Amino acid sequence: MKESMKNGLIRGVVAALASLALLGCLMWMEGNLNPANQSQQSTAAVSESAVPAVAQAEPISADADAAGGFLPGTYTGTANGFGGPVEVAVTIGENGGVADAVITGQGETPDVGGAAIPELRNQLLTAQSADIDGVSGASFTSGAVKEAAAAALALAAGEEVETGPKAEGDNLFIPGTYSASSKGFGGDVEVTVTVSENAIEDIQITGDHETENIGSFAVSMLGERIMDAQSPNVDALSGATVTSSAIFRALQQALTQAGADLTRFPAPEKADANAPKSEESLECDICIIGAGGAGMTAAIHATQAGKNVILLEMMPYVGGNTTKATGGMNAAETHYQAEQGIEDSVEVFIEDTMEGGHQLNDRDLVTVMAENSAEAIDWLDSIGAPLPKVSFSGGATNKRIHAPEDGSGVGAYLVTHFLQKVEELGINVMYDTRATELITDDGAVTGVKAESSTVSYTINAKAVIIATGGFGNNQDMIVQYRPDLKGTVSTSAPGAMGDGIVMAQAVGADLVDIDQIQLHPTVEQGTSMLITESVRGDGAILVNQEGKRFTNELLTRDKVSAAELEQTGGYAYIIFDQRLRDGLKAIEKYVSTGITVQADTIEGLAEQIGCDPATLAETLESWNQAVAAQKDEAFGRDTGMENDLSVAPYYAIKIAPGIHHTMGGVKINTEAQVIDTDGNPIPGLFAAGEVTGGVHGGNRIGGNAVADIVVFGTVASESAVAWCDR
Ligand code: ADP
């Protein structure tokens, strides 16, 4: 921001807050934002720069009672969009109306939020207020534009900032406990902070939907940073900017209630990007790259086998894509199945996996996974992470998918337990440290080079395990291997950059099935939020822009995705009713995130999504008849037909396929040794998890990703231990 408010036109002192890592400085204002709607209250974060200033104001007239009610000048507000700050600069003309608006949001998804910006600007200019409809499918960006515009217009309206009581004298706070909340990834994040006169004594952060997405440990990690720094000005968690922003906003509100002058907190210390890094050499038995499910499984086993392990993690928290796994873990011939009278066999598990993978899978690897799956379940029992709930899931002949007792998502559950074990065993996890290169000596892998923001590490190891996950988040690699998927959104964790594949290839590794990328058919494109299969399983249907069904909604992911891509615009709407919402907890997250539209009638819903009301009504009627008859003449669907869709209100979410899992990757053998392009194992190099190819073939069946990481994490560890001991 160039310059702060120049003169006293903007009445009252706007509390300028110290800068935040990604947000810049934030400011809270409460007040009437829109003269046309005097009762509207808003809380907004404004200004992106590190300078404690909040508006670009070039006021021309002090007359706030001019025609449009705003003070002429240019005012800027900032709010958090999908991928970072969104800035709205409004110019108020001589008549007091909004003459122009410049909206910038570099971090917004170009095809979604980015594409919505011109339309949002039009809406702003037409409405002459921040009270705009937004653009469907770009809910985060729309929300941010509204919030930032409201903040800018509040300044333009000359609003005073509610400052509240102040701490006495030199004290930082008025002692007490204060709470505030702010909108995060999937709903409100609440921060409760307890302060004494000069210290933050405790901080509690709650936000169910956030923890589901990045793991509760990530949220608590941010709390620890705040406690350690005794300041709200700490670095956001990379890869969790929406959640971090919400936490910062809520915290600053709570501290403001506690009488804090937020400008007294120093700005976060920034590493100088140009400063030379120091060099450090480390030694260990086994260096494991990536602390997702496979990496942590391997680290725990190797440590229990007496090896000295270094676990590298490029993110500030563990978990990777594993955190996002919702279903469970497939395993056959387990004690849980036996206790529950479920008949299943390793052989059927193998055949189901081969069948699901279009017979493209490496049968030997599938056999290892299936044969070791029951033992893996026992091992999870032993580390206090039992998966006792056994049920059916897509592609499995028998009840085979094992899930936590309490119905929580398997990924976050396992990652939390793995991390506990990792900490209990004192394993050295190097966070924010990205492996960049494998070190070799005479053809054998003997270590890893890695970088943190300040140190270049050389880690010498007897063995290296790559467990870096997939490449779903690396658009360049996606385009390299699947040009047809250019621009497709991804549900992958931020660390899914394909580093392990690149590093392994650099030392001669072969790749298998690298173009096999699983699309998930129901991904909301503005947020990359995955709409769980259970919504269709519980009875939702898919319609195209013409308001018509076009497929059996419960075919395999690849088939439903392909069918969607053939529809107008390559997208569809998932339609459900209130009864379905009432029965499925996950839907609350979608509603609170703002990605659903709803109406009291089908016709009203049709209007909301811009399709012909009569056609949509007819589609619903036919579907309800099919449910009544338990026969779907149109597309042969025969599951998820327990209830029709007849209880208002009705809901729709616009969805399209999103990249979900990269099934191909580094070639390994049954010992998890990495295989080179001549078919020989690369000495000292092992790999496990999503970074490898072969287990899933052409289509991964639900529950096999978790089986893969636990079994092959174990195998890779055992092989690496044996290699160290050779
Ligand atoms: P898997 O399911 O195979 O365990 P995940 O995606 O769960 O895969 O975990 C992979 C982990 O590896 C993630 O936490 C990711 O951030 C991390 N990672 C990816 N590339 C690197 C790298 N170059 N250095 C360190 N960690 C990495």
Side-chain angles (χ1 to χ4, degrees), residues 58-73:
E58 301 287 348
I60 306 164
S61 152
D63 181 9
D65 297 317
F70 296 116
L71 300 163

Side-chain angles (χ1 to χ4, degrees), residues 360-521:
L360 199 68
N361 327 47
D362 180 329
R363 183 176 278 273
D364 292 341
L365 295 182
V366 173
T367 303
V368 170
M369 178 175 75
E371 282 180 346
N372 290 282
S373 60
E375 209 177 306
I377 289 284
D378 295 342
W379 179 72
L380 291 175
D381 286 343
S382 78
I383 63 157
L387 298 175
K389 216 171 122 188
V390 191
S391 48
F392 275 115
S393 89
T397 305
N398 302 311
K399 284 190 176 179
R400 184 180 300 139
I401 195 160
H402 292 60
E405 182 77 73
D406 64 358
S408 52
V410 70
Y413 170 87
L414 287 183
V415 166
T416 303
H417 284 90
F418 288 162
L419 183 62
Q420 270 166 14
K421 197 73 192 169
V422 162
E423 287 176 347
E424 187 187 309
L425 292 170
I427 295 171
N428 179 5
V429 186
M430 293 174 62
Y431 290 100
D432 293 308
T433 306
R434 185 172 187 170
T436 52
E437 198 183 322
L438 299 172
I439 303 168
T440 53
D441 182 16
D442 199 19
V445 172
T446 56
V448 179
K449 292 214 181 244
E451 303 280 327
S452 75
S453 58
T454 52
V455 185
S456 293
Y457 293 98
T458 298
I459 301 165
N460 298 306
K462 293 177 188 143
V464 172
I465 300 175
I466 303 178
T468 48
F471 60 97
N473 220 20
N474 185 332
Q475 260 294 319
D476 290 343
M477 278 178 85
I478 294 284
V479 172
Q480 178 184 355
Y481 296 118
R482 284 289 298 275
D484 58 310
L485 295 182
K486 185 168 188 244
T488 307
V489 301
S490 169
T491 63
S492 295
M497 295 298 291
D499 288 4
I501 292 170
V502 175
M503 287 187 281
Q505 266 193 305
V507 297
D510 201 2
L511 304 183
V512 283
D513 300 339
I514 195 71
D515 57 344
Q516 295 298 331
I517 294 175
Q518 183 166 59
L519 295 179
H520 193 290

